[in-house]
Amino acid sequence: MALQLQLTYAGWLKPSVGGLWDPSDGVTVKSPMLFPTESATETLKVAGYAYTQDVNAGTTTTLDLINTLAWEQRKGDATKNDGFYDLGNAPAQPEAAT
């Protein structure tokens, strides 16, 4: 099953290791709610990241994480949509009245 999730934390650098993120870095996520297994962990890859600063919240990093199956689907020959990010949303419609 292909899996994608987004994680946000305070700070610029990788926790415990330091340095900035690179695409395809491995990340071990521990969450008994998301991964109901004995270890409650899953190793995911970084598909994207964003660094932001806010006057109130300070510096944050948001990671887009995907599992190996999603990474392999995404990294194919990149000439056609593999359907993983295609949510099937209808086109935006103008408002009738405000």
Side-chain angles (χ1 to χ4, degrees):
M1 172 172 71
L3 171 74
Q4 176 185 9
L5 65 97
Q6 200 170 60
L7 181 125
T8 301
Y9 68 92
W12 287 93
L13 303 177
K14 296 180 203 178
S16 305
V17 189
L20 299 177
W21 292 99
D22 288 326
S24 79
D25 275 349
V27 178
T28 300
V29 176
K30 183 172 185 172
S31 173
M33 183 178 73
L34 293 175
F35 312 115
T37 61
E38 187 174 326
S39 68
T41 62
E42 182 77 26
T43 300
L44 305 171
K45 291 187 176 277
V46 175
Y49 51 88
Y51 302 110
T52 58
Q53 286 185 315
D54 182 276
V55 173
N56 299 315
T59 303
T60 59
T61 300
T62 300
L63 299 174
D64 294 318
L65 303 172
I66 57 178
N67 67 356
T68 304
L69 178 59
W71 181 261
E72 289 168 356
Q73 289 175 354
R74 204 173 151 250
K75 296 304 280 186
D77 64 5
T79 61
K80 58 189 172 294
N81 183 351
D82 59 23
F84 184 71
Y85 289 106
D86 184 5
L87 302 176
N89 295 336
Q93 300 296 319
E95 289 185 37
T98 54

